[in-house]
Amino acid sequence: MTTDRRNRGWYGKLDRDGFIHRSWMKNQGFPDHAFDGRPIIGICNTWSELTPCNSGLRELAEGVKRGVWEAGGFPVEFPVMSLGETQMKPTAMLFRNLLAMDVEESIRAYGMDGVVLLGGCDKTTPGQLMGAASVDLPSIVVSSGPMLNGKWQGKDIGSGTDVWKFSEAVRAGEMTLQDFMAAESGMSRSKGVCMTMGTASTMASLVEAMGMSLPTNAALPAVDARRMALAHLTGKRIVEMVEEDLKPSDILTKEAFENAILANAAVGGSTNAVVHLLALAGRVGVDLSLEDFEIGSEIPLLVNCMPSGKYLMEDFCYAGGMPVVLQELGDRLRKARTVLGGDIAAYAEGAECWNRDVIRSMDDPLKPAAGLRVLRGNLAPRGAIVKPSAATDALLEHEGEAYVFESIEDLKANIDREDLPVTAETILVLKGCGPKGYPGMPEVGNMPIPRKLVREGVRDMIRVSDARMSGTAFGTVILHVSPEANDGGTLALVKTGDRIRVSARNGVLELLVDEAELEARRAAWTPEPPHYTRGYAKMYIDHVLQADQGADLDFLVGKDTRPVTRESH
Ligand code: FES
């Protein structure tokens, strides 16, 4: 057995400290040979009944353990904070960095040699990856996997995407409240993450494209027995990765991030991928900026899944999943190492597509150009983003008058007013929803369409904010305006009646107000007092970076791989 393995600093010592470390672990019934120097594999679990999307992870942890034991390792499962996207207030994103801290410190403090990250719901995947990358022990991901397709009244319905549609239909008087309530039960029929290409499935797809999981991890349904087998194989593989000393820093290179950006375009992935990839890149020291996302702008939309298309993740899985997408990306993929040790191209070898309407070919895409567009201008000097594949083409080049909501409370109180002075050409602006402002940059950027316009048949308008939007949402929604209003960005100065120009083609977001007037408004502007004054939320507000830097905390950027030498007793 290797004597310099990390766990020897805990379990290899024949002194009082070694006695204490081993003896207390033995109260769980582990035999002597579990401590003989074999790789100790942490199974970092975000299972929680308050994170329904991750409620299948206990079973998957058992699958991982089987694989670890089979390969001669010693698995130890440990909990970390779980982030239930649909359950947490004010927003799960406020706590992504707290999860990352929990993961980082748990891995560092305990005597493990490698880690399997069990996550799924939106913020759990990036939070776990960020934390693990900052310690840089061999790490690999097993995702929850998507729920089975939603079913209601004989139709497939998709998490999130159809909720937005149903709620607009209720507001338009086209759907009864009774039907609306009944659809709830048909939408979420099994354990697993949202089965649209929302943020969870986007991040799982990008993890696969970056080579941080085994192939097929992204799309296998949560309750498909093959996911349990994948967990088993992952457990086997992490033991080998420890032997090979294959670490996140070997895998998460600039090229891997570029592959993630290309894949995000091809799958019609979530805008949230931007903040998560930027934050993860910051942890591993990869120089990634908003401009790098432009490499995806010419990539066609291949995956016909909601919200950009019509199918769901279960269909994507049965059509062949990510290996087919990677095969279609072909030579566009950058050379990059994976958890299997070889190049990412190996993930696509032998892939076959079983349904060309679900996964289109490069020659017959769903849309010709699907990548996110970065917008800049005096309204977003450090950038904003829009997702053309989920937008209305005609609105991507537009000039109109702003109607401004000063806060989320202002929006909720007034959006359905009959005398709201808006038309379909109006640009809705929302302030106070950035990282510092809300705090936590919630998914409220896809503001509802004013009821009086819904009744007229309007289903999309340009909406501009410093917020994010759910990966399951759609519309011509300009997000992540940076700097945010509460950080003194130009967004804070916009007034109802100002004109705004948007050009996705030219990457422009301009407030058409002259500089002297803006200066006068800036001189009169005072920042809103923070909504939280204690605890983690205060620390977050004091240290969070803007969206163009991934909204990580400033003191968490980078990593610390030094050994922990001091004992507790
Ligand atoms: Fe958890 Fe969508 S809410 S994955």
Side-chain angles (χ1 to χ4, degrees):
M1 282 291 168
T2 308
T3 52
D4 62 351
R5 194 160 273 141
R6 185 173 187 268
N7 83 59
R8 307 319 288 149
W10 281 256
Y11 305 109
K13 297 200 273 189
L14 302 176
D15 57 8
R16 186 191 62 180
D17 293 330
F19 178 106
I20 291 171
H21 291 310
R22 285 186 301 273
S23 176
W24 266 256
M25 286 294 279
K26 285 180 176 178
N27 83 353
Q28 301 171 85
F30 295 123
D32 284 342
H33 72 262
F35 305 95
D36 64 3
R38 65 189 56 219
I40 295 186
I41 304 300
I43 301 175
C44 176
N45 202 341
T46 53
W47 173 91
S48 167
E49 287 180 339
L50 286 168
T51 307
C53 317
N54 292 8
S55 61
L57 290 178
R58 266 187 176 167
E59 288 90 336
L60 288 181
E62 293 307 314
V64 173
K65 287 177 193 174
R66 291 180 198 167
V68 172
W69 284 121
E70 184 187 345
F74 173 18
V76 280
E77 185 182 351
F78 64 97
V80 285
M81 185 181 194
S82 192
L83 308 178
E85 188 68 28
T86 51
Q87 312 297 319
M88 296 185 93
K89 294 183 182 185
T91 167
M93 180 64 176
L94 176 62
F95 305 107
R96 182 201 63 181
N97 302 336
L98 184 58
L99 167 62
M101 288 170 82
D102 185 353
V103 171
E104 175 178 345
E105 302 305 347
S106 295
I107 294 173
R108 184 175 291 121
Y110 287 113
M112 63 190 82
D113 304 297
V115 195
V116 179
L117 304 170
L118 296 187
C121 193
D122 296 14
K123 308 302 177 291
T124 54
T125 301
Q128 285 184 299
L129 276 171
M130 288 159 66
S134 285
V135 196
D136 207 25
L137 296 184
S139 306
I140 189 169
V141 172
V142 179
S143 303
S144 296
M147 287 188 266
L148 297 175
N149 286 4
K151 297 277 180 188
W152 183 65
Q153 292 189 340
K155 293 190 300 264
D156 280 0
I157 57 172
S159 319
T161 306
D162 278 311
V163 181
W164 315 126
K165 287 186 178 159
F166 292 161
S167 72
E168 293 294 81
V170 171
R171 294 169 73 238
E174 295 163 357
M175 185 179 195
T176 66
L177 202 53
Q178 214 171 12
D179 276 353
F180 183 69
M181 305 292 282
E184 280 176 17
S185 310
M187 185 167 281
S188 308
R189 299 189 303 123
S190 77
K191 290 178 178 175
V193 300
C194 295
M195 83 307 271
T196 44
M197 188 57 81
T199 304
S201 287
T202 296
M203 291 311 296
S205 299
L206 304 195
V207 161
E208 193 171 328
M210 287 192 291
M212 280 300 295
S213 71
L214 294 182
T216 73
N217 172 63
L220 278 171
V223 293
D224 192 311
R226 289 172 292 180
R227 180 162 292 281
M228 191 66 170
L230 185 95
H232 184 134
L233 294 171
T234 303
K236 278 185 75 179
R237 180 59 197 152
I238 186 67
V239 175
E240 296 165 357
M241 286 172 69
V242 169
E243 308 283 6
E244 296 161 18
D245 197 26
L246 181 55
K247 303 184 296 295
S249 56
D250 300 316
I251 297 166
L252 295 173
T253 57
K254 177 80 182 245
E255 290 75 14
F257 283 95
E258 289 177 347
N259 287 339
I261 291 167
L262 298 172
N264 194 42
V267 303
S270 164
T271 48
N272 288 323
V274 177
V275 283
H276 299 325
L277 290 177
L278 288 168
L280 180 58
R283 297 301 185 100
V284 287
V286 164
D287 181 21
L288 193 73
S289 70
L290 272 180
E291 271 54 47
D292 288 304
F293 285 80
E294 292 288 347
I295 63 165
S297 62
E298 299 306 316
I299 297 293
L301 176 62
L302 302 181
V303 177
N304 191 0
C305 271
M306 293 182 196
S308 298
K310 67 177 181 183
Y311 293 102
L312 295 166
M313 288 301 289
E314 197 181 335
D315 308 304
F316 180 43
C317 172
Y318 303 151
M322 279 306 288
V324 176
V325 174
L326 296 174
Q327 191 178 56
E328 287 297 327
L329 287 170
D331 291 344
R332 293 172 184 82
L333 283 179
R334 283 37 171 173
K335 292 220 161 306
R337 221 165 153 195
T338 72
V339 287
L340 288 176
D343 186 73
I344 187 67
Y347 280 30
E349 267 167 29
E352 283 192 68
C353 183
W354 304 105
N355 187 335
R356 271 298 172 199
D357 197 34
V358 177
I359 310 176
R360 301 295 186 86
S361 66
M362 279 285 179
D363 301 332
D364 180 28
L366 203 62
K367 287 194 180 183
L372 305 175
R373 292 311 311 256
V374 178
L375 309 179
R376 285 186 193 274
N378 67 345
L379 188 47
R382 287 169 55 180
I385 58 166
V386 67
K387 180 178 177 180
S389 67
T392 303
D393 285 343
L395 288 173
L396 289 170
E397 306 295 319
H398 183 77
E399 186 183 312
E401 241 178 46
Y403 185 87
V404 176
F405 297 102
E406 295 292 336
S407 67
I408 193 71
E409 289 78 19
D410 182 12
L411 171 87
K412 287 189 172 165
N414 293 302
I415 188 76
D416 284 338
R417 253 176 44 211
E418 288 301 322
D419 61 346
L420 200 72
V422 292
T423 67
E425 283 71 45
T426 302
I427 296 179
L428 300 180
V429 174
L430 174 62
K431 303 178 184 176
C433 297
K436 289 176 192 287
Y438 201 77
M441 206 185 174
E443 295 183 336
V444 297
N446 54 320
M447 298 164 237
I449 304 296
R451 194 197 311 259
K452 66 182 231 184
L453 297 181
V454 172
R455 276 204 305 270
E456 291 168 18
V458 176
R459 289 293 182 271
D460 194 13
M461 301 171 71
I462 298 189
R463 289 155 272 178
V464 178
S465 74
D466 44 14
R468 297 176 301 116
M469 78 169 174
S470 163
T472 62
F474 53 90
T476 313
V477 186
I478 296 169
L479 302 154
H480 307 189
V481 167
S482 185
E484 64 174 295
N486 291 58
D487 203 36
T490 313
L491 186 67
L493 312 179
V494 184
K495 290 186 172 173
T496 293
D498 289 348
R499 293 192 74 75
I500 292 175
R501 186 162 73 87
V502 175
S503 170
R505 194 172 41 232
N506 299 317
V508 169
L509 180 62
E510 284 285 344
L511 178 62
L512 303 175
V513 173
D514 66 53
E515 199 42 48
E517 169 64 15
L518 283 181
E519 274 314 307
R521 290 186 194 178
R522 196 177 299 281
W525 178 77
T526 48
E528 202 192 354
H531 292 262
Y532 290 79
T533 53
R534 67 177 299 278
Y536 168 75
K538 175 171 172 23
M539 182 172 77
Y540 176 93
I541 293 166
D542 289 346
H543 291 280
V544 71
L545 298 168
Q546 289 294 287
D548 63 317
Q549 294 174 288
D552 201 358
L553 301 186
D554 52 13
F555 59 83
L556 291 175
V557 174
K559 59 182 181 232
D560 182 355
T561 59
R562 291 173 300 172
V564 183
T565 52
R566 292 186 173 178
E567 290 286 346
S568 58
H569 24 73

